Each structure stands twice: as structure tokens, then as C-alpha cells.
């Protein structure tokens, strides 16, 4: 890694401290319900009191939101909260949410996998795009893969010569991943050459954003464990923001996306010192 990258890495450790996103108080009902659904698609369930505090509205308002989401077929309400209706089936079939734009994600997965050589040690974050990276690695030799994603561990765990490691922690059904304090501590002891990091949104202004608070510390620990951080995200996530903010774009070295990225966005990422890799 050259001197420029080394200096940026030192800077991003300080800049990448876990930060909450902008306040969500004052959101109109429909945008707020979309954010609540994103939260549930990430966490699987949520309590009324937690949603009330996060969105700065009354518990009665949150209950009305959950009633509407239930009527629309997305969630099932329970005492004090709600859970994602598709959750049992997702776990049974090892399927993920957010399977839109799969043609773009497959191209990104192939391009990202091409950057991994035999014998490397890498970290794969949980997510549908990083799952495509995993599929692209099946012909490599002697890889060491650290991942918090159960489905990725199953894809790569049976490949002869691969060593696949997972942290402990709490199972998150929608993302088929492990999370929590034990996972964070595990990655603090890891040294890897490359991290392939997922995101819900990548904004030139807000940085990297995610649907909930739960995984922010885990992703920060992954970033610190890797010498080179590749963000993998399709172009529909550019200039999109979600609920919580991980950090500015300085936390990544390279951005792998598809060829639908706008020219002005591509120039701006490169102007900020981020290597842009376009999958075609």
C-alpha cells in the first residue's frame, strides 16, 4: 500500500467513529413507515418504545404505523412491537432481503472477486452483494475468509483448501448474520488484507449509512481489521441515505459499482481520493 493510502488509513480510523444519522423527527408518515420497514428488514423485529425514541414521535403514532405496515402485509404485530412477516421463510430457505438489482450485483461480485488472489486473507461483510462476491471466489485456492454471514460461510465452507472463520454473537435472521459485542471483539483481533463492505446507502455528503444502529460498531471493527477496504454497492445506492451513519467516505479506499453510475458522481468519488472500479 502506498504512502498516500497509508496516511488515509490513519485518518479514517479517527474519522470513522460510530455516528448516528441525522434526526428523523418530523418525517411525514409515509417516509417514516419506509424507514421503519427498512429497520425491520435489517433487524427482524423492533419494539414500539425504541421506534418511538428513534423517530421522535409518540408510541401511539408508531403503533398506527405498524398497523398500516401489517395491513399492507409486511409485518406481524405483537405485544409491544412487531416482526418481519417473511422472517421464518427467509431463515428456512437461507434467503436474503434486498434482492433487487441482482444483475448489477452479480457483475460487481465478479469484478470484486477478480481482485482476490490465491492464498489471501479477506473479510466478507453480510449482504446480497457480498454474497455475489462469495460466489465469484469458488475457483480460488487456499483462501482464508472471515465473515459474519452464515450463508456466505455455507457457500465457501465446503471448498477444499478454504479456511472459513466466523465470530460469535447474536443471530440476525433478515441478514443471516452474526452481530453484537462478541462479534465486535472478535474482529478487533483480526488482521486481513482486504474487506468487502456492504452498505444501504453511499452519499457524497452523508457517507455510508445503514438501516439500524446494531451493526455500526461491528462494521467499524471490520474496517480497522483490513488493510484495504472495498465498498461494494450497486449504483442505485449512490446518493441514497438510510437511518444511521457509519462515517464519511474516508473509511473506504475503493468503491466497486456498476456502469450505471453517473459521470458526475464518478468524478466526485475520484476527486475525493477513492479508487473507482466499474463492473461492466
Amino acid at each position: 500500500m502506498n504512502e498516500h493510502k497509508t496516511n488515509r488509513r490513519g485518518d479514517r480510523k479517527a474519522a470513522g467513529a460510530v455516528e448516528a444519522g441525522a434526526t428523523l423527527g418530523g418525517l411525514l408518515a409515509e417516509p417514516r413507515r419506509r424507514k421503519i420497514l427498512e429497520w425491520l428488514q435489517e433487524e427482524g423485529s423492533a419494539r414500539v418504545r425504541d421506534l418511538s425514541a428513534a423517530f421522535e414521535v409518540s408510541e401511539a403514532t408508531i403503533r398506527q404505523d405498524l398497523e398500516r405496515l401489517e395491513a399492507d402485509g409486511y409485518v406481524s404485530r405483537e405485544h409491544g412491537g412487531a416482526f418481519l412477516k417473511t422472517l421464518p421463510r427467509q431463515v428456512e430457505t437461507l434467503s436474503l432481503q434486498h434482492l433487487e438489482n441482482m444483475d448489477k450485483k452479480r457483475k460487481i461480485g465478479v469484478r470484486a472477486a477478480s481482485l482476490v488472489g490465491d492464498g489471501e486473507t479477506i473479510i466478507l461483510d453480510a449482504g446480497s452483494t457480498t454474497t455475489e462476491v462469495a460466489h465469484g471466489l469458488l475457483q480460488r485456492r487456499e483462501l482464508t475468509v472471515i465473515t459474519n454471514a452464515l450463508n456466505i460461510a455455507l457457500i465457501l465452507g465446503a471448498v477444499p483448501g478454504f479456511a472459513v472463520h466466523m465470530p460469535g454473537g447474536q443471530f440476525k435472521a433478515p441478514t443471516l448474520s452474526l452481530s453484537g459485542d462478541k462479534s465486535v471483539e472478535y474482529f478487533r483481533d483480526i488482521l486481513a488484507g482486504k474487506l468487502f463492505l456492504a452498505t444501504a446507502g453511499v452519499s457524497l455528503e452523508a457517507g455510508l449509512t445503514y438501516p439500524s444502529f446494531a451493526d455500526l460498531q461491528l462494521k467499524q471493527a471490520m474496517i480497522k481489521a483490513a488493510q484495504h477496504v472495498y465498498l461494494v454497492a450497486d449504483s442505485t445506492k449512490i446518493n441514497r441515505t438510510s437511518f444511521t451513519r457509519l462515517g464519511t467516505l474516508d473509511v473506504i479506499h475503493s468503491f466497486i459499482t456498476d456502469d450505471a453510475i453517473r459521470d458526475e458522481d464518478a468524478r466526485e468519488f475520484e476527486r475525493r481520493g477513492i479508487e473507482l472500479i466499474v463492473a461492466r
Side-chain angles (χ1 to χ4, degrees):
M1 194 160 53
N2 62 32
E3 182 179 358
H4 173 66
K5 292 295 186 184
T6 302
N7 290 339
R8 285 187 69 241
R9 178 160 175 79
D11 292 341
R12 67 189 175 86
K13 285 186 177 181
V18 174
E19 302 175 23
T23 177
L24 295 178
L27 277 181
L28 296 175
E30 193 56 37
R32 185 178 62 248
R33 288 170 191 151
R34 287 198 300 268
K35 296 290 186 185
I36 291 171
L37 182 58
E38 287 179 8
W39 181 316
L40 290 165
Q41 288 174 333
E42 178 74 14
E43 295 299 316
S45 63
R47 299 185 65 82
V48 168
R49 65 187 181 192
D50 295 333
L51 294 171
S52 173
F55 288 89
E56 300 178 7
V57 295
S58 69
E59 292 189 8
T61 296
I62 292 295
R63 281 192 285 270
Q64 291 173 358
D65 289 337
L66 294 177
E67 286 174 5
R68 176 61 180 271
L69 290 172
E70 184 177 48
D72 290 343
Y74 294 114
V75 309
S76 295
R77 286 186 299 145
E78 58 183 1
H79 180 68
F83 61 90
L84 198 63
K85 197 168 186 177
T86 58
L87 209 53
R89 182 64 178 162
Q90 280 181 248
V91 174
E92 180 183 343
T93 60
L94 289 178
S95 58
L96 292 168
Q97 287 280 343
H98 309 303
L99 294 179
E100 63 278 5
N101 303 308
M102 287 306 298
D103 56 334
K104 293 180 171 65
K105 294 177 182 182
R106 291 188 184 101
K107 290 178 182 178
I108 293 167
V110 170
R111 185 68 180 92
S114 74
L115 301 172
V116 179
D118 294 343
E120 290 198 47
T121 297
I122 66 170
I123 301 170
L124 287 179
D125 191 9
S128 54
T129 306
T130 50
T131 297
E132 293 306 311
V133 179
H135 284 299
L137 295 172
L138 292 174
Q139 303 306 315
R140 297 294 180 275
R141 295 176 180 272
E142 307 298 329
L143 288 186
T144 298
V145 179
I146 305 105
T147 183
N148 64 322
L150 179 60
N151 65 317
I152 290 176
L154 292 173
I155 290 168
L156 299 179
V159 178
F162 278 27
V164 177
H165 302 269
M166 297 193 74
Q170 179 181 353
F171 179 61
K172 286 179 53 180
T175 54
L176 301 175
S177 65
L178 296 170
S179 186
D181 292 342
K182 288 186 178 180
S183 296
V184 173
E185 290 299 322
Y186 177 86
F187 278 100
R188 285 174 180 162
D189 295 326
I190 294 296
L191 294 174
K194 295 167 182 172
L195 162 64
F196 295 92
L197 180 71
T199 190
V202 51
S203 166
L204 293 164
E205 301 304 323
L208 306 182
T209 57
Y210 296 87
S212 73
F213 292 105
D215 284 347
L216 292 185
Q217 289 186 344
L218 173 58
K219 292 180 187 296
Q220 181 64 19
M222 288 179 175
I223 288 168
K224 290 180 178 179
Q227 291 179 325
H228 195 104
V229 178
Y230 293 91
L231 180 70
V232 290
D234 69 78
S235 57
T236 66
K237 293 183 178 179
I238 298 172
N239 296 321
R240 179 195 295 183
T241 58
S242 193
F243 179 57
T244 58
R245 180 171 179 255
L246 175 67
T248 65
L249 295 179
D250 284 343
V251 302
I252 62 173
H253 296 110
S254 304
F255 177 27
I256 308 174
T257 190
D258 60 85
D259 57 7
I261 184 173
R262 301 186 307 171
D263 290 343
E264 55 266 40
D265 290 331
R267 288 192 295 268
E268 185 61 22
F269 280 110
E270 291 175 333
R271 189 188 70 80
R272 297 189 184 202
I274 297 167
E275 178 190 24
L276 184 66
I277 302 171
V278 177
R280 302 183 187 277

